[in-house]
Structure formats: C-alpha cells, structure tokens
Amino acid sequence: MIEIKKIEPIDLPGSLVLQLEKLYHSTLRDFTVMIDKTNWTMYVEKSVPDTDVQQFIDYIYYPGRCVNEAKADFSDYVFNTYGQSAYLEIFKAYSQKRRIPVITLISPFHIL
C-alpha cells in the first residue's frame, strides 16, 4: 500500500522537485501531489482535503483496466482543480501499479 505524507511544498524531496520542474514544467508553488514510486510514498500538499487524498488512492488502486472511463468525473476534477501535473502523476502511478505496457506500433513497411 502507498504511504501518505501531507507536507508543505518546501519539504518535498529534491528528486521530486526536480521531476516536478523538468517533467511537468511546473514550480514548487504549484505542487499538489507527487509520488515517489521507488518506495511508494505519496507526498500531498497539506491543504488538500483528506477526501481528495482518499480519492487519489482509490484512483491509483482502481482494479479495472480503464480508470479514465470509470472515474472520468474525478479525472476532470483533479485536472481542473489541481492541474495537469497532479492528474498525470496519479495516472502514472495507476499505470505503474497495473503495469500497463506501452504499445509501440510498427509500420507494416518497417524494414528490419
């Protein structure tokens, strides 16, 4: 299970600050949720309501294959309330938990 830590933005580990800035092109001021996927710790900005944190967890551990269809309203809520970086972070955690492979399409004209 994932460990939850509600923190001030300044307390976000340096590796996650770097990820927030470089991967999501966001700033520490915009931090809402980041997940350290090596030890499965979710860092959440302390003003985020506990009900939303629980929904983040429910989203990540959704047992089905199509979380965006089943939880479309929540996906929209996260995106509109907390921004793209928060939405992408919980979706990536869901994908990694499910170990969804990335499908690469090869052209039928691809020469090996």
Side-chain angles (χ1 to χ4, degrees):
M1 196 65 164
I2 197 164
E3 180 182 356
I4 310 300
K5 292 186 178 181
K6 290 188 99 172
I7 62 169
E8 293 284 343
I10 195 71
D11 297 324
L12 187 65
S15 60
L16 295 178
V17 171
L18 185 64
Q19 186 179 8
L20 180 69
E21 292 173 349
K22 301 300 179 193
L23 183 63
Y24 298 124
H25 306 286
S26 193
T27 64
L28 195 54
R29 174 185 52 203
D30 301 323
F31 159 71
T32 300
V33 60
M34 290 296 291
I35 301 165
D36 182 347
K37 294 170 195 76
T38 57
N39 61 11
W40 285 100
T41 302
M42 180 189 300
Y43 295 93
V44 181
E45 204 280 325
K46 70 182 219 170
S47 68
V48 175
D50 290 341
T51 54
D52 287 358
V53 174
Q54 184 58 52
Q55 287 187 320
F56 292 162
I57 295 166
D58 294 344
Y59 186 99
I60 292 167
Y61 285 95
Y62 179 73
R65 292 187 50 113
C66 300
V67 71
N68 280 336
E69 289 179 17
K71 295 190 171 278
D73 290 341
F74 183 67
S75 297
D76 291 343
Y77 170 77
V78 170
F79 188 88
N80 293 326
T81 305
Y82 300 115
Q84 181 180 10
S85 62
Y87 166 73
L88 289 173
E89 189 67 6
I90 64 170
F91 182 76
K92 284 182 180 184
Y94 161 78
S95 297
Q96 190 168 347
K97 274 294 184 193
R98 298 255 323 137
R99 300 193 198 297
I100 296 173
V102 175
I103 299 171
T104 304
L105 298 177
I106 298 176
S107 166
F109 304 106
H110 181 75
I111 299 173
L112 298 176

